[in-house]
């Protein structure tokens, strides 16, 4: 396809907020909210499963400066979910603000509000709680149909039919299939079956969870929060507090990272409850330890994969069962699990004759999981890409060649991807370009470098989606202002991704002006047009299309005004960066003149709002190749080179998509090699700080080489698809593949730590 030429789109435009952030301007929540507010903190449960028999706050209330202490006796007995999802939410309504039953170490027991942090910290220590300690279910293999129920309450509720049953510890359960799976498997030359396990990784965003609340002039609850989902927060708080949505306004400042963590209402409900009860401003800022132990990490998943193929490498059947651990509450449990199959199996659509995807999502007494970049696809792709690499090894076929033989290609309909047609798919070109950049054919799978060092290579492919098809809604309001500049109002949340800039680029391309001529206003539930929020890789594809449509409509209205001013036919007008002129250039009016005319005796609107939703979710694709070196004496893994080639349709901002890719790769590398979550026998998380939870630093991340093979997605703005999530998906399977090539040991559980590598080498030698 001939590459389309753009003036502003696909250019390395600097982020609109770059200088403010670089210069340390006050832009984040704690920079901009008043300091004279109540400080709110939460008392967390020390037990994985217990009933509160009694709770005494009398002594704590006597601490000077304490305003209020709330327990389960003070809150509405109305269950809700903290998952930021479109109504009706797939996640069960299984929470109370405070509950008599605590379900994990870190669960909320009491809310304390005081005039300063010192008083609140002292009061927290003086609250006397007597617990009836219950036996927890900590092993997610034993949760389904266990005698121990995490949610025995009668007012537990599932709004959607997702196979949930609280009396079986099931948050969700389901099956999707196509073709004669067993018949095809029996006809295959080789059938492989293995089990893969991923852990509950932490998003570890730089800015911890935090929320400020106050009562505005009109007696409404104003919530300012570091969130990705202002409109969903409004609904969640209305449910939790049992008050009308009209009584709540939610807005956001700049966000210091989210990666999905802030698609869940982790902190909002606690200061909101305090403010609603006391009518005083309140603020809650989670510590890093609270983020690690009472946040919403990635869902731990175990995937049993069976794959059927012919001796020439033709993959004919895939069978996947996913067991997902949602923890104590069901936020995002029913939705993340679907991606483990629906966004991994379609990668091998090329010759696929049959597939089956089954899953169970279970409640346990560990920290509740939530949304994290990749959202289930990351776990499923680790499993499926690993078994394809194992298949290639068993059949003695080059792992790139087996992918070239079986990968999904443009124009195909994928039954395992909701029967969507792949109208824009450059996966074949991604693999070819990565192969060229990496010089795959010139490097052996394994090379002994001497001195106990083994160098090896690995590969993986990935796909994701672009929003939730038929559900996500994006809206944009574009307005012509005095002097001819434009104001773009959106409900999507820029959480460091640069979507304010990307959406401004789309507007500027439509309106044929500079990005500097577009002023962007961020998410506010009172003033912004409705948007589902910044998650599910939806912002550029869904909201961006709304921006494109709104700008096209505004152009028509501006042309009508200009035609009246120049007394000509509007069909023959030409837009320039600062004016509108006739086709022959004989007449011209500036944007400023059009703006002035629109404010005097005008009936033509110069403010347009467009809402968009797509019935499709076109997948972005990616190929990743890694070179690493294993020290056989210590088990240490040193990454040397990582090549990533991405198909995200048309990259809207060439700089931002590159750094998005690099950031996602770094997170994927941490997931593969070092980030671990383990529990004591009593259900307490050991990795409760960055001293124990090992994030990769820049020194741990190798040379990252990123390139793009663009397709053109007709349903996206200027051909764009998403890029935000897919980029985290290839490191785990590619690194596991390379470590096998170096050591001869397959590691099917993440992270692959030096201890595991060394023990694998020693076991293999014996």
């Amino acid at each position: 396809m001939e590459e389309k030429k753009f003036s502003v789109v696909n250019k390395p435009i600097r982020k609109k907020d770059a200088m403010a952030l670089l210069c340390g301007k006050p832009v984040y929540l704690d920079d901009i909210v008043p300091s004279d507010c109540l400080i709110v903190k939460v008392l967390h449960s020390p037990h994985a499963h217990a009933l509160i028999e009694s709770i005494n706050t009398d002594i704590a209330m006597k601490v000077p400066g304490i305003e209020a202490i709330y327990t389960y006796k003070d809150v509405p007995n109305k269950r809700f979910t903290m998952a930021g999802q479109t109504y009706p939410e797939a996640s069960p309504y299984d929470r109370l603000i405070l509950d008599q039953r605590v379900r994990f170490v870190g669960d909320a027991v009491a809310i304390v509000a005081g005039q300063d942090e010192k008083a609140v910290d002292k009061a927290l220590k003086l609250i006397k709680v007597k617990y009836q300690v219950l036996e927890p279910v900590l092993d997610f293999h034993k949760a389904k149909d266990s005698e121990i129920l995490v949610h025995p309450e009668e007012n537990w509720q599932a709004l959607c039919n997702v196979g949930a049953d609280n009396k079986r510890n099931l948050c969700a359960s389901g099956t999707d299939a196509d073709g004669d799976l067993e018949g095809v498997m029996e006809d295959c030359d080789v059938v492989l079956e293995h089990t893969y396990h991923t852990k509950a990784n932490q998003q570890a965003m730089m800015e911890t969870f935090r929320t400020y609340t106050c009562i505005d002039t009109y007696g409404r609850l104003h919530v300012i929060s570091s969130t990705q989902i202002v409109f969903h927060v409004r609904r969640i708080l209305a449910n939790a507090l049992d008050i009308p949505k009209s009584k709540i306004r939610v807005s956001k400042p700049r966000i210091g990272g989210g990666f999905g963590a802030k698609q869940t209402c982790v902190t909002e409900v606690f200061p909101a409850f305090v403010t609603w009860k006391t009518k005083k401003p309140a603020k809650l800022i989670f510590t890093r330890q609270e983020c690690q132990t009472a946040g919403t990490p990635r869902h731990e998943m175990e995937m049993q994969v069976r794959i059927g193929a012919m001796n020439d490498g033709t993959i004919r059947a895939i069978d996947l069962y996913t067991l997902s651990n949602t923890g104590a509450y069901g936020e995002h449990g029913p939705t993340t699990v679907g991606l483990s199959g629906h966004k991994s199996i379609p990668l091998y659509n090329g010759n696929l004759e049959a597939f089956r995807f089954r899953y169970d999502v279970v409640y346990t007494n560990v920290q509740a999981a939530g949304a994290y970049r990749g959202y289930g696809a990351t776990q499923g792709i680790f499993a499926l890409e690993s078994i394809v690499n194992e298949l290639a090894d068993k059949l003695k076929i080059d792992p790139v060649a087996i992918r070239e033989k079986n990968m999904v290609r443009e124009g195909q309909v994928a039954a395992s991807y909701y029967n969507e047609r792949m109208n824009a798919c450059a996966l074949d070109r991604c693999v070819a370009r990565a192969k060229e950049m990496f010089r795959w054919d010139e490097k052996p799978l394994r090379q002994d470098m001497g001195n106990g060092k083994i160098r090896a290579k690995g590969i993986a492919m990935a796909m994701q989606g672009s929003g939730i098809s038929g559900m996500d809604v994006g809206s944009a309001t574009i307005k012509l202002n005095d002097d001819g500049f434009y104001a773009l109002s959106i409900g999507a949340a820029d959480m460091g991704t640069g979507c304010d800039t990307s959406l401004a680029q789309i507007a500027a391309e439509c309106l044929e002006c500079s990005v500097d001529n577009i002023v962007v206003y961020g998410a506010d539930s009172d003033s912004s047009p409705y948007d589902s929020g910044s998650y599910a890789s939806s912002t550029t594809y869904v909201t961006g299309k709304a921006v494109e449509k709104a700008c096209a409509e505004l152009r028509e209205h501006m042309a009508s005004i200009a035609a009246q001013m120049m007394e000509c036919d509007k069909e023959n007008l030409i837009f320039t960066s600062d004016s509108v002129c006739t086709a022959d250039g004989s007449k011209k009016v500036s944007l400023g003149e059009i703006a002035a005319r629109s404010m005097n005796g005008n009936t033509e609107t110069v403010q347009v709002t467009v809402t968009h939703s797509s019935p499709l979710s076109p997948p972005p694709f990616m190929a990743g190749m890694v070179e690493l070196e294993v020290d056989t004496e210590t088990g240490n893994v040193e990454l040397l080179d990582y090549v990533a080639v991405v198909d995200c349709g048309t990259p809207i901002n060439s700089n931002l998509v590159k750094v998005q890719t690099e950031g996602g790769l770094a997170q994927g590398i941490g997931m593969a090699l070092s980030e671990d979550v383990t529990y004591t026998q009593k259900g307490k998380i050991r990795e409760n700080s960055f001293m124990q939870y090992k994030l990769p630093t820049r020194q741990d991340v190798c040379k990252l080489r990123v390139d793009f093979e663009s397709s053109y997605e007709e349903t996206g703005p200027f051909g764009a698809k998403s890029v935000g999530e897919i980029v985290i998906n290839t490191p785990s399977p590619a690194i596991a593949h390379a470590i096998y090539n170096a050591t001869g040991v397959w590691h099917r559980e993440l992270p692959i730590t030096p201890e595991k590598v060394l023990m694998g080498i020693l076991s293999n030698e014996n």
Side-chain angles (χ1 to χ4, degrees), residues 11-23:
K11 297 295 188 292
I13 305 293
R14 188 173 71 186
K15 284 179 64 179
K16 280 186 163 289
D17 57 358
M19 293 310 296
L21 299 178
L22 186 65
C23 297

Side-chain angles (χ1 to χ4, degrees), residues 77-149:
N77 185 30
K78 184 181 179 185
R79 301 225 168 245
F80 63 97
T81 178
M82 297 201 308
Q85 299 174 307
T86 299
Y87 181 85
E89 302 99 314
S91 299
Y93 280 22
D94 55 13
R95 278 193 187 260
L96 298 176
I97 300 173
L98 298 170
D99 203 329
Q100 187 176 8
R101 180 184 295 266
V102 289
R103 296 175 174 83
F104 70 98
V105 176
D107 208 351
V109 174
I111 307 168
V112 180
Q115 294 173 6
D116 58 70
E117 190 170 7
K118 186 177 179 180
V120 173
D121 286 341
K122 185 175 182 180
L124 283 169
K125 296 175 183 177
L126 295 174
I127 298 173
K128 303 300 180 184
V129 187
K130 183 180 179 183
Y131 297 96
Q132 178 191 343
V133 179
L134 305 173
E135 184 180 353
V137 53
L138 300 175
D139 184 348
F140 73 133
H141 301 95
K142 300 177 181 178
K144 183 179 175 181
D145 294 323
S146 169
E147 292 182 359
I148 304 166
L149 291 181

